[in-house]
Amino acid sequence: RKEVEQDPGPFNVPEGATVAFNCTYSNSASQSFFWYRQDCRKEPKLLMSVYSSGNEDGRFTAQLNRASQYISLLIRDSKLSDSATYLCVVNDYKLSFGAGTTVTVRA
Amino acid sequence: EAGVTQFPSHSVIEKGQTVTLRCDPISGHDNLYWYRRVMGKEIKFLLHFVKESKQDESGMPNNRFLAERTGGTYSTLKVQPAELEDSGVYFCASSQSLDGPLHFGNGTRLTVT
């Protein structure tokens, strides 16, 4: 079983739509969680950390469910610029990456 | 604050040759990581330095890969001799704390022909 699993997508959504996707992790002792964004042929960039109570940053909301071992990312009011691959990253002192979820926002 | 810098940005070498990648982490970041993404696969951990010490090198694929971080500042990753399957993008990242987010460099795209 992979350490971090994500739905690869792609999620094709119109501008203004809401899109949400999950990521599951296998190590119950994992301590911290992040969502990174990666644009084509670029380096991953931190989108947001995920805290146990859930957190929001503008149009982005991240949730952590330790009991079921998953984190989620929700994007409200999608913009064209949100088109990217979203990487779920789990830190158990060796960061493990999911393969990424591709989101394409169309006009 | 300067970010993580990697050099070169691209490298094309022939099978059997040697290549050395360099990473300069953010100043003051003790934790330095090397990751690799091969075509169509997820980003995979290679190794982790804390200062000059190798904390975890469980992701290094084989003994053709050698990473160093002398003095706890910049790091190098040498591939010798390179094989076709070593092609991919090699990312370096640094962090201030073990549980903190990583800051990535732009990556080195390595092509072995």
Side-chain angles (χ1 to χ4, degrees), chain B residues 5 17 22 24-25 41 46 49 55 64 70 73 76 78 80-81 83 88 91 97 107 110-111 113:
Chain B
T5 57
Q17 289 186 318
R22 173 171 170 144
D24 287 76
K41 301 285 182 76
L46 296 179
F49 284 99
Q55 183 77 9
R64 294 184 295 103
T70 307
T73 55
T76 58
K78 181 193 286 188
Q80 178 183 33
E83 298 289 344
F91 290 107
S97 63
L110 175 64
T111 303
T113 62

Side-chain angles (χ1 to χ4, degrees), chain B residues 9-106:
Chain B
S9 55
H10 291 84
S11 180
V12 181
I13 60 172
E14 293 182 353
K15 177 182 169 180
Q17 289 186 318
T18 297
V19 63
T20 300
L21 314 181
R22 173 171 170 144
C23 168
D24 287 76
I26 292 173
S27 178
H29 282 195
D30 288 341
N31 297 281
L32 186 151
Y33 303 80
W34 283 99
Y35 284 83
R36 176 172 77 170
R37 185 169 205 163
V38 297
M39 182 77 76
K41 301 285 182 76
E42 65 268 29
I43 295 174
K44 288 281 198 185
F45 169 83
L46 296 179
L47 88 160
H48 169 209
F49 284 99
V50 177
K51 297 185 180 177
E52 67 274 11
S53 299
K54 290 177 186 174
Q55 183 77 9
D56 182 351
E57 53 184 329
S58 61
M60 294 287 263
N62 51 62
N63 59 10
R64 294 184 295 103
F65 288 75
L66 174 65
E68 294 179 323
R69 193 184 181 194
T70 307
T73 55
Y74 71 90
S75 173
T76 58
L77 179 65
K78 181 193 286 188
V79 185
Q80 178 183 33
E83 298 289 344
L84 297 178
E85 65 265 25
D86 300 334
S87 296
V89 181
Y90 289 77
F91 290 107
C92 174
S94 70
S95 68
Q96 199 161 38
S97 63
L98 277 178
D99 59 356
L102 295 189
H103 302 269
F104 280 83
N106 292 337

Side-chain angles (χ1 to χ4, degrees), chain A residues 69-107:
Chain A
Q69 293 183 210
Y70 74 86
I71 66 172
S72 64
L73 182 66
L74 182 145
I75 308 173
R76 283 187 304 279
D77 189 23
S78 300
K79 310 290 184 194
L80 295 176
S81 57
D82 295 334
S83 298
T85 296
Y86 292 84
L87 303 171
C88 169
V89 181
V90 176
N91 188 353
D92 52 5
Y93 299 109
K94 182 179 75 179
L95 286 180
S96 296
F97 284 75
T101 296
T102 299
V103 173
T104 302
V105 182
R106 62 182 188 275

